[in-house]
Amino acid sequence: MRVKAFKAWRPAEGKAESVASVPYDVVDTKGAAALAAGNPDSFLHVVRAEIDLPEGTDAYSDAVYDQAKANIERFKNDGILIREEKPSIYLYSQQMGDHLQYGIVATCHFEDYEEGKIKIHEKTRRVKEEDRIKYVDIQNANTGPVFLAYRDSGKINAMVDAAKATEPLYKFTAVDGVAHTVWKFEDATELEAAFGEIPATYVADGHHRSASAAKVGAKRRAANPNHTGDEPYNYFLAVMFPESELKILAYNRVILALPGTKDEFFAALNEKFEVDANGVAVPRKAGEICMFIDGAWSTLTPKTMPGATDPVAALDVSILQNEVLAPILNIADPRESNDIDFIGGIKGTEELEKWVNDGRAVMAFSMYPTSMDQLFAVADAGMLMPPKSTWFEPKLRSGLLVNTLD
């Protein structure tokens, strides 16, 4: 793996808490506007720039990309963001309740993505990928990092422990209760060499960000007759976490409409699953799916389990998709269907009940979380999971460290 230090743009002293924002893709325009209200330093003015334009502005319009560019330039010119004098690598910790994880912030070479050394497990949507390509190209920057995982390394762990003993650049607790701390490594070359010994990293979250970064890099490579592979545009921003520290939550489903009657649905369901009306809302183990319908929870257990040799078919989300969503509910492609929505496990099963009880959905499915071993197995096999198979929490903050492509 080619990992490199970079000259970050980062919040000026005392500005980190007011600048750092949630990622662009976990909040809609209305939510972003509410979070940024009264705070001109919020990085949401960059990653969700439509909040500074007239209500109803298309989030994919040229005006939004231009506004984002103007806003990031304002952050630089007004000293909200300052630039490091020399390239560095950073340590970034997040603590949510009892869960604590330490990630290494650096840049990764886009050709490692092209060559499969940065492995993926989900398919991207073209419209979202094109949005991120245009956004990165116009900003000339990676404003939000790709979330990568790597297999544990004792050598890297030792460097992390040393960095933790130094004075942090930033330390604050966000409004959602997640604590964020950033340190700077004194010696980037040792980390670059250590990651050079790691054969692969895995995209945990940020498939559209990584795909778009690679395409922007390829576009600039093609336009440069003197391309060497060392230019700044070859590298994109990432935070890399050891697998043992990562926490995957369930990614649950709500069904908005039935193609037929409930009797027809239950008749088809009982052909493939043992249905136990036990009131359990959260699956107790892999191979169980909990369903909420008509005010009650039931546990579904497949009568026939798929073979373990197929890492995708063995996933609980695949079992639900292949045995319920597609054949019974006519949801062949969840990315394109208007009859399904997805709710991150961080919101709990109470949110699923609320959707059904309020009439926004007719039923909900509570899933057992995908494991890191399953993610690695699928990615190593060059296969893809169904959409919305993993929900990583806590989310990385945007604006703490920004990488420009110059």
Side-chain angles (χ1 to χ4, degrees), residues 32-96:
L35 287 173
N39 180 11
D41 294 348
S42 171
F43 211 65
L44 286 167
H45 293 286
V46 175
V47 297
R48 298 296 308 216
E50 71 271 18
I51 66 176
D52 294 330
L53 295 170
E55 186 175 351
T57 298
D58 182 355
Y60 298 142
S61 68
D62 289 344
V64 173
Y65 302 110
D66 292 341
Q67 185 66 47
K69 177 68 172 176
N71 286 347
I72 197 169
E73 292 304 318
R74 173 176 67 82
F75 276 46
K76 295 175 183 178
N77 294 334
D78 291 354
I80 298 167
L81 295 180
I82 58 173
R83 194 170 198 188
E84 293 278 23
E85 294 181 358
K86 64 178 184 177
S88 299
I89 292 178
Y90 303 84
L91 179 64
Y92 174 31
S93 79
Q94 299 171 289
Q95 182 161 8
M96 183 180 70

Side-chain angles (χ1 to χ4, degrees), residues 16 53 138 369 389:
L53 295 170
I138 291 174
S389 294

Side-chain angles (χ1 to χ4, degrees), residues 131-186:
D131 164 57
R132 289 299 94 186
I133 291 169
K134 193 170 183 179
Y135 180 87
V136 171
D137 214 11
I138 291 174
Q139 309 313 307
N140 195 44
N142 309 128
T143 56
V146 177
F147 188 151
L148 298 178
Y150 63 91
R151 297 190 185 276
D152 286 55
S153 161
K155 185 180 291 187
I156 294 174
N157 288 346
M159 297 180 204
V160 168
D161 287 341
K164 286 190 289 186
T166 64
E167 187 70 18
L169 294 175
Y170 309 122
K171 186 173 184 178
F172 65 92
T173 300
V175 293
D176 58 3
V178 177
H180 303 264
T181 310
V182 177
W183 298 262
K184 187 191 297 187
F185 284 96
E186 293 183 3

Side-chain angles (χ1 to χ4, degrees), residues 110 113-114 124 126 129-130 133 137 209-221:
F110 82 86
Y113 179 91
E114 291 181 328
T124 57
R126 186 167 63 180
E129 192 175 308
E130 289 174 349
I133 291 169
D137 214 11
R209 286 188 286 275
S210 55
S212 61
K215 290 204 166 103
V216 170
K219 175 184 174 182
R220 297 192 179 193
R221 176 181 60 193

Side-chain angles (χ1 to χ4, degrees), residues 233-247:
Y233 63 72
N234 288 278
Y235 291 86
F236 64 88
L237 184 65
V239 185
M240 297 166 282
F241 292 89
E243 59 170 310
S244 60
E245 294 185 4
L246 292 179
K247 182 177 182 179

Side-chain angles (χ1 to χ4, degrees), residues 125 253 321 325 331-342 386-388:
R125 293 179 61 187
R253 278 85 167 121
Q321 177 60 40
L325 300 187
I331 301 173
D333 186 352
R335 295 180 184 86
E336 303 298 332
S337 175
N338 294 322
D339 294 331
I340 188 171
D341 211 335
F342 304 88
K388 313 296 186 184

Side-chain angles (χ1 to χ4, degrees), residues 221-297:
R221 176 181 60 193
N224 182 3
N226 300 313
H227 173 83
T228 66
D230 294 326
E231 298 86 355
Y233 63 72
N234 288 278
Y235 291 86
F236 64 88
L237 184 65
V239 185
M240 297 166 282
F241 292 89
E243 59 170 310
S244 60
E245 294 185 4
L246 292 179
K247 182 177 182 179
I248 304 180
L249 302 183
Y251 216 150
N252 300 318
R253 278 85 167 121
V254 288
I255 306 304
L256 310 184
L258 285 175
T261 66
K262 286 185 181 178
D263 287 343
E264 291 170 336
F265 167 73
F266 276 106
L269 187 69
N270 280 292
E271 289 182 7
K272 298 185 177 183
F273 292 86
E274 299 292 345
V275 181
D276 182 4
N278 56 13
V280 174
V282 179
R284 296 158 292 190
K285 61 183 180 180
E288 289 185 350
I289 299 167
C290 294
M291 177 181 68
F292 186 73
I293 188 171
D294 291 337
W297 284 101

Side-chain angles (χ1 to χ4, degrees), residues 327-388:
I328 302 177
L329 299 177
N330 296 338
I331 301 173
D333 186 352
R335 295 180 184 86
E336 303 298 332
S337 175
N338 294 322
D339 294 331
I340 188 171
D341 211 335
F342 304 88
I343 298 176
I346 190 69
K347 294 186 177 180
T349 55
E350 296 82 2
E351 183 70 8
L352 303 181
E353 295 177 13
K354 190 172 187 299
W355 274 65
V356 176
N357 292 336
D358 289 351
R360 287 180 287 168
V362 295
M363 71 179 75
F365 294 100
S366 170
M367 310 300 298
Y368 192 79
T370 302
S371 70
M372 286 302 300
D373 284 342
Q374 288 176 316
L375 186 155
F376 284 166
V378 170
D380 284 339
M383 303 174 76
L384 300 175
M385 294 182 181
K388 313 296 186 184

